[in-house]
Amino acid sequence: MIDHNLLTYLETYLTAERKQRFLSVLQKRTKHITVAVEDVYQLHNTSAILRSCDVFGVQELHVIEQRFGKRLDKNIAVGAEQWVDVHRYRSTADCISRLKDKGYRIIATTPHNDSCMLPDFFPKKKSAIFFGTEKEGLSETVMRQADGFLKIPMVGFSESLNVSVSAAIIIQQLAQKVRDSDLDWRLTEEEILEKRLEWTRKSIKHVEGIIKRYLSD
């Protein structure tokens, strides 16, 4: 449970503008769509996808690090790791299992012939959008367990985009579709309170000492 009194106390250390900024951003955050990145090799690509999640209001990013280890570069993410919840997995199977348990449909991004074009896709149900490696795409594990396939329509000679570019396009379009809909896409009140407390703590220097003094009063 959130300690409302502690939150109220800590928010006195924020400027009015920063407090309002948190509230404004959280009103547009969603977990209705989430993003999963599978074994992306280039550090900057995973970090850029994290930044796109923040910019377009997706609260959670799931990173599968089965083959290449940690794939986040804080210089590219530009602080976005403070505002987006990153969940790490050692295997694709674990990630898919966790997301399915939470009620997500698994949507694989691929130029597969049966893929739905992005303009025609609407995530009526909670959807986890999977992006794969730059050269090989998504693994067979994802492809076998996917509930749907999604691709970006292209009209030029090139038949593919950099994974971080593809992710930015898809995240922006789907997030906007969800926000424009009558779906229950927003964070719950409890989730908003949790994020307010977490973000406030991250914004205050020497916050642990401040909390210790608060609890001792």
Side-chain angles (χ1 to χ4, degrees):
M1 295 293 292
I2 297 297
D3 185 335
H4 292 257
N5 291 330
L6 174 60
L7 174 59
T8 299
Y9 175 73
L10 290 179
E11 285 184 334
T12 64
Y13 285 82
L14 303 180
T15 64
E17 291 78 13
R18 190 159 186 80
K19 179 180 175 181
Q20 183 56 46
R21 179 63 173 163
F22 286 170
L23 293 172
S24 176
V25 168
L26 285 167
Q27 287 301 316
K28 295 182 174 64
R29 281 295 210 248
T30 189
K31 292 184 181 180
H32 184 82
I33 57 171
T34 194
V35 173
V37 180
E38 184 189 39
D39 288 328
V40 170
Y41 179 72
Q42 295 291 341
L43 280 171
H44 68 272
N45 280 332
T46 302
S47 301
I49 293 170
L50 171 64
R51 192 177 183 191
S52 291
C53 287
D54 178 37
V55 167
F56 299 123
V58 172
Q59 185 55 43
E60 294 185 320
L61 174 66
H62 304 266
V63 181
I64 300 162
E65 299 168 326
Q66 187 167 325
R67 295 171 60 191
F68 304 122
K70 292 187 176 182
R71 296 286 92 185
L72 287 177
D73 182 341
K74 292 184 178 181
N75 292 326
I76 301 295
V78 195
E81 72 279 356
Q82 297 184 73
W83 318 119
V84 174
D85 301 328
V86 178
H87 304 280
R88 288 187 159 94
Y89 305 85
R90 292 189 176 183
S91 76
T92 299
D94 286 345
C95 180
I96 291 175
S97 177
R98 180 72 62 86
L99 288 167
K100 283 184 176 278
D101 285 346
K102 291 184 176 181
Y104 283 96
R105 298 177 72 240
I106 306 302
I107 305 298
T109 57
T110 171
H112 191 277
N113 288 338
D114 295 330
S115 296
C116 180
M117 291 291 187
L118 179 58
D120 301 323
F121 180 81
F122 180 75
K124 186 175 181 179
K125 296 181 179 179
K126 290 170 60 177
S127 299
I129 315 301
F130 273 69
F131 297 91
T133 58
E134 291 84 349
K135 292 184 179 180
E136 300 169 15
L138 290 164
S139 68
E140 283 301 312
T141 301
V142 177
M143 299 299 283
R144 284 196 307 268
Q145 298 196 52
D147 300 297
F149 302 94
L150 179 64
K151 65 181 176 182
I152 299 170
M154 300 181 190
V155 296
F157 292 104
S158 298
E159 296 182 351
S160 66
L161 291 167
N162 174 278
V163 63
S164 65
V165 175
S166 295
I169 292 169
I170 290 173
I171 293 167
Q172 190 278 330
Q173 296 245 348
L174 296 186
Q176 190 63 52
K177 286 183 180 183
V178 165
R179 281 195 295 271
D180 289 342
S181 74
D182 57 3
L183 295 171
D184 184 16
W185 57 267
R186 291 178 172 84
L187 300 183
T188 66
E189 287 302 315
E190 187 70 13
E191 288 170 337
I192 288 174
L193 286 170
E194 288 174 358
K195 289 295 107 182
R196 282 173 61 189
L197 180 57
E198 178 186 325
W199 292 359
T200 298
R201 289 179 65 138
K202 289 179 178 178
S203 300
I204 300 172
K205 290 183 178 179
H206 312 300
V207 68
E208 296 305 324
I210 292 171
I211 292 174
K212 185 176 181 179
R213 289 196 299 272
Y214 165 80
L215 294 174
S216 65
D217 288 344

